[in-house]
Amino acid sequence: MGGENRFMGLAYLSPYIIGLLLFTAVPFVASFVLSFTDYSLMSAPHFVGLKNYIKLFTGDRTFNKSLSVTLIYVFSTVPLKLAFALFIAVILNYKLKFINFFRTAFYVPSILGGSIAIAVLWRYLFQSGGGHEGLVNMALMAAGFEPVNWFGDPTNALFTITLLRLWQFGSAMVIFLAALQSVDNSLYEAAAIDGAGKWRTFFFITLPLITPVIFFNLIMQTVQAFQEFNGPYIITKGGPLKATYLLPLYIYDEAFKHFKMGYASAIAWVMFAIIMVLTLIAFWSSRHWVYYAGDKRS
Amino acid sequence: MTEQTLSSTLSARDLEAIEARKREQRKVLISSIFRYIILFAVGLIMLYPLIWLVGASFKTNAEIFSGAGFWPRSPTLSGYVEGWKTSTPYTFGRFFLNTFLILIPKLIGTAISATAVAYGFARFEFPGKKILFASLIAILLLPNVVTRIPQYLLFREFGWLDSFLPLWVPSAFAGDAFFVFMLVQFLRAIPRDMEEAARVDGANSWQTLIFIVVPLLTPALISVCLFQFMWSMNDFLGPLIYISSVDKYPVSLALKLSIDTTEAFDWNKILAMSVLTIAPALIVFFMAQKYFIEGISAGGVKG
């Protein structure tokens, strides 16, 4: 804007800048420094070098378990969720009656999102054993299947958390839908004239055009999946046999239950490093598969 | 589509074209039916648990596990009445009050700070702008886990533990980068003509912001407030870390407390209170659906 002091913009940004320094930048650095200390809140933190990290990677079986559970969870939940969200978005992208009803209905579980009420509900839906079968098992039995031990069995417990997050595919779906609707219709018409079938059109026209949004959803969902806390904390309490003891639960316990602030920071930093590496790989690889038509999305 | 006109004299080619058209229509019909089947099946999975939850909250404990049906055989309000009392000295009313005491300052702080910051980003040039905008994106991608422990230590230094301040203050400093990002995107799409006219008429940037930009920004601001409302209603880890006295618990912690203190026998209480805690979010969602969908498509929402 003409004639204004060139620092006027900075004045408007001042709350952000203060917040950035105080609540993000300084804590970010502090967390890294803390990860090289022992700090129990009782006395000043003292520097222990790489001790925390060495212990994590050589003598901590809980960490090994928690890390592998986290990776399994992220690498199963994110692709399934994205594939499902895209599949439904493609169906919703057709002109059908009541389509707005379905768009809304599919989004409702996402709005309730990480609420504790939904986690509680999940716990009851998948209840099993002790003469108390939850809704899911009742449905299975009605269909002639054996009831499943959802939370008691370590292999099923993590899957139940995954199902909860798959149920919340709505935001990814809406973003896909917006992208699908912005695809230029003339491209489809051209493809139809060239005699391309449905599948070819999807894989050679639709999919390449929405890669920026696939990329966006991939990154956001991955970062989010790594931070999953409410689900396992409420539904399975991390069990059985630590089968759902995701890293955020471990960090929470170490920091706020055992007050091992230094050790917890080290776990957080390992997790952060993994997310960073995965994000960088995604960004690096995006040059080969993300297609930007013009300059629509940054 | 062109209208098919039937004349009395049809050539073989015309007949063939009609056949092809019919086949095409049948294909469209079959594919529509197929889509509806999938949509209904998925819709059932999406909504039935929620519908069941509402029905179950009016059932007796014994009935909750006796069948998958929605309608209670002998509807009772005892889940609501007993659940509302809680096992603490406080009723759920207290926990709802706390939830809104956390929420309202958070919403106001978010709306004001995010608007000012987005205005600064979208309408001004200044040194360091690029880096600051990049930091906004970086915050979007930064997992909270990394900064949580030092933040806790900071708020402990400030003496803010067991108060609502750790939940309010970061929002008032535009801490939810996503909202700033969303408003910047929105502002970029609004032409500057009216603002420039106001400036020519002698308005300063403050007046322009309040009298011109904010009214234009209202739909986006509604989206921001709605998402902040949802996320704050759903927030569990924040209060879990910072709030330790039961009298300050929001509903999320109260619900967690109720599943810890009551064993399997009191499920209708818990389900009833679950219905109550998701009710505000559901009501707000159905009143303002379009703002959610627009907000998501505008910036691409997490969640």
Side-chain angles (χ1 to χ4, degrees), chain A residues 92 94-105, chain B residues 36 39-40:
Chain A
L92 285 176
Y94 275 78
K95 287 192 183 71
L96 295 170
K97 271 184 186 154
F98 313 113
I99 203 78
N100 282 327
F101 165 77
F102 288 110
R103 284 178 189 167
T104 309
Chain B
Y36 274 120
L39 290 179
F40 274 106

Side-chain angles (χ1 to χ4, degrees), chain A:
Chain A
M1 295 245 159
E4 196 111 47
N5 183 335
R6 65 196 285 256
F7 291 101
M8 198 62 202
L10 279 171
Y12 281 104
L13 252 64
S14 54
Y16 172 72
I17 295 168
I18 296 169
L20 174 71
L21 291 174
L22 200 58
F23 303 125
T24 308
V26 169
F28 181 73
V29 176
S31 151
F32 188 62
V33 174
L34 269 173
S35 74
F36 297 100
T37 66
D38 253 353
Y39 184 36
S40 63
L41 298 183
M42 308 298 279
S43 54
H46 76 270
F47 184 74
V48 293
L50 285 170
K51 198 189 107 187
N52 289 334
Y53 290 98
I54 292 168
K55 191 182 160 202
L56 275 178
F57 286 109
T58 57
D60 187 344
R61 288 172 65 187
T62 305
F63 174 72
N64 284 339
K65 176 74 185 176
S66 185
L67 179 62
S68 67
V69 165
T70 306
L71 292 176
I72 293 169
Y73 171 75
V74 172
F75 285 114
S76 56
T77 306
V78 174
L80 283 173
K81 191 169 172 180
L82 292 185
F84 192 57
L86 181 57
F87 173 66
I88 298 295
V90 168
I91 293 182
L92 285 176
N93 193 29
Y94 275 78
K95 287 192 183 71
L96 295 170
K97 271 184 186 154
F98 313 113
I99 203 78
N100 282 327
F101 165 77
F102 288 110
R103 284 178 189 167
T104 309
F106 293 176
Y107 189 55
V108 170
S110 301
I111 266 302
L112 303 172
S115 76
I116 294 309
I118 295 299
V120 167
L121 170 65
W122 219 249
R123 189 158 140 182
Y124 297 131
L125 291 179
F126 288 85
Q127 170 84 12
S128 66
H132 285 144
E133 299 300 331
L135 190 68
V136 175
N137 273 352
M138 280 193 266
L140 285 178
M141 284 149 80
F145 295 100
E146 287 289 305
V148 174
N149 185 3
W150 293 104
F151 301 135
D153 184 335
T155 35
N156 295 337
L158 191 63
F159 180 62
T160 318
I161 310 287
T162 295
L163 280 180
L164 170 59
R165 292 310 168 216
L166 288 181
W167 189 59
Q168 292 161 354
F169 67 90
S171 334
M173 176 201 81
V174 174
I175 295 170
F176 279 138
L177 191 57
L180 289 172
Q181 288 180 338
S182 70
V183 174
D184 191 351
N185 234 335
S186 64
L187 290 171
Y188 290 136
E189 282 158 15
I193 289 166
D194 289 346
K198 255 191 216 159
W199 292 100
R200 284 182 72 85
T201 311
F202 179 75
F203 281 106
F204 292 102
I205 294 177
T206 312
L207 212 52
L209 283 173
I210 63 165
T211 44
V213 168
I214 297 177
F215 180 65
F216 174 86
N217 272 340
L218 177 72
I219 301 271
M220 286 322 241
Q221 296 291 340
T222 306
V223 173
Q224 206 188 316
F226 266 105
Q227 303 196 76
E228 173 65 49
F229 180 83
N230 290 6
Y233 188 79
I234 298 294
I235 300 171
T236 53
K237 299 175 183 156
L241 299 173
K242 301 216 184 302
T244 55
Y245 200 56
L246 299 176
L247 282 170
L249 273 76
Y250 191 28
I251 294 168
Y252 171 80
D253 281 349
E254 289 299 294
F256 302 107
K257 264 192 181 159
H258 309 135
F259 298 108
K260 292 186 193 166
M261 295 295 177
Y263 197 59
S265 299
I267 307 169
W269 265 83
V270 173
M271 188 173 121
F272 174 61
I274 295 170
I275 298 175
M276 271 279 289
V277 169
L278 290 176
T279 310
L280 287 176
I281 291 174
F283 270 97
W284 172 80
S285 77
S286 73
R287 275 183 293 173
H288 304 288
W289 63 273
V290 176
Y291 169 79
Y292 291 100
D295 186 25
K296 279 171 87 178
R297 254 167 209 272
S298 57

